[in-house]
């Protein structure tokens, strides 16, 4: 189970690294794409706000479809968003990449739900407990390292972040076990059909 917790930590790290990459590059990006101060501020705000909104949706989705499947999808989105960021040739692509980064980072709710599942599994087992990679620690580490990597160039930073995201994706696929059995998954309410008159 320690392996699972490390994989979950790598997912958080990749997401928060992706959000922090552009912080030292905001003046450069604003000049390159003609964004101005409001546009630069939006580059920071969009993924953060989107992550908060996506977390509300991704948590229940993982309770229906399983934690691992949702994490695989969001890790894939993170990697794709970072590579799009590296290739961005206009402001539209730039903002779409940041929007996708935020959607994927909403998987913090799924990561924490997976940790709760692991804790329940461990209650009857040996003295295992989560490594405790908190949201605050992940955010601080991701932003600081993102700022350092981002100091090189936007493309180099995005490629480096994409490589980290791919590594976390491989970890989820190969090493993480599904923490929510099918028997425990929430049942989505059936949709009511439209009555014909």
């Amino acid at each position: 189970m320690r392996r699972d917790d490390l994989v979950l930590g790598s997912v958080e790290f990749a997401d928060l690294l992706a959000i922090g990459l552009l912080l030292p590059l905001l003046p450069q990006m604003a000049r390159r794409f003609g964004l101005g101060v409001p546009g630069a501020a939006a580059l920071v705000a969009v993924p953060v706000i989107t992550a908060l909104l996506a977390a509300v949706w991704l948590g229940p989705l993982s309770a229906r479809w399983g934690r691992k499947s949702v994490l695989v999808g969001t890790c894939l989105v993170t990697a794709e968003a970072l590579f799009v960021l590296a290739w961005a040739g206009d402001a539209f692509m730039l903002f779409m990449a940041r929007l996708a980064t935020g959607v994927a980072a909403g998987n913090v709710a799924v990561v924490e739900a997976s940790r709760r599942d692991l804790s329940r599994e461990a209650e009857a087992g040996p003295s295992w407990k989560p490594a405790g990679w908190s949201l605050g620690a992940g955010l601080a580490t991701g932003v600081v390292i993102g700022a350092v990597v981002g100091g090189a160039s936007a493309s180099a930073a995005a490629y480096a972040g994409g490589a980290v995201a791919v590594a976390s994706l491989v970890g989820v696929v190969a090493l993480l076990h599904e923490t929510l059995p099918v028997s425990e998954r929430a049942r989505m309410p059936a949709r009511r059909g439209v009555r014909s008159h």
Side-chain angles (χ1 to χ4, degrees), residues 21 25 28 32 82-83 85-87 146 148-163:
L21 277 175
L25 298 167
Q28 172 190 334
R32 178 181 173 187
L82 285 165
F83 289 127
L85 182 64
W87 303 327
V148 172
V149 175
S153 72
S155 295
Y159 280 123

Side-chain angles (χ1 to χ4, degrees), residues 27-110:
Q28 172 190 334
M29 301 298 284
R31 287 192 302 270
R32 178 181 173 187
F33 295 101
L35 300 176
V37 174
L43 282 180
V44 177
V46 163
V48 175
I49 294 172
T50 308
L52 293 174
L53 296 175
V56 176
W57 173 65
L58 290 175
L61 189 65
S62 74
R64 176 65 180 89
W65 296 105
R67 315 292 192 209
K68 183 171 181 175
S69 59
V70 174
L71 288 175
V72 168
T74 53
C75 287
L76 183 60
V77 170
T78 299
E80 290 178 343
L82 285 165
F83 289 127
V84 168
L85 182 64
W87 303 327
D90 54 43
F92 178 77
M93 287 184 66
L94 181 64
F95 276 100
M96 288 300 98
R98 295 297 279 170
L99 182 67
T101 296
V103 171
N107 67 14
V108 64
V110 184

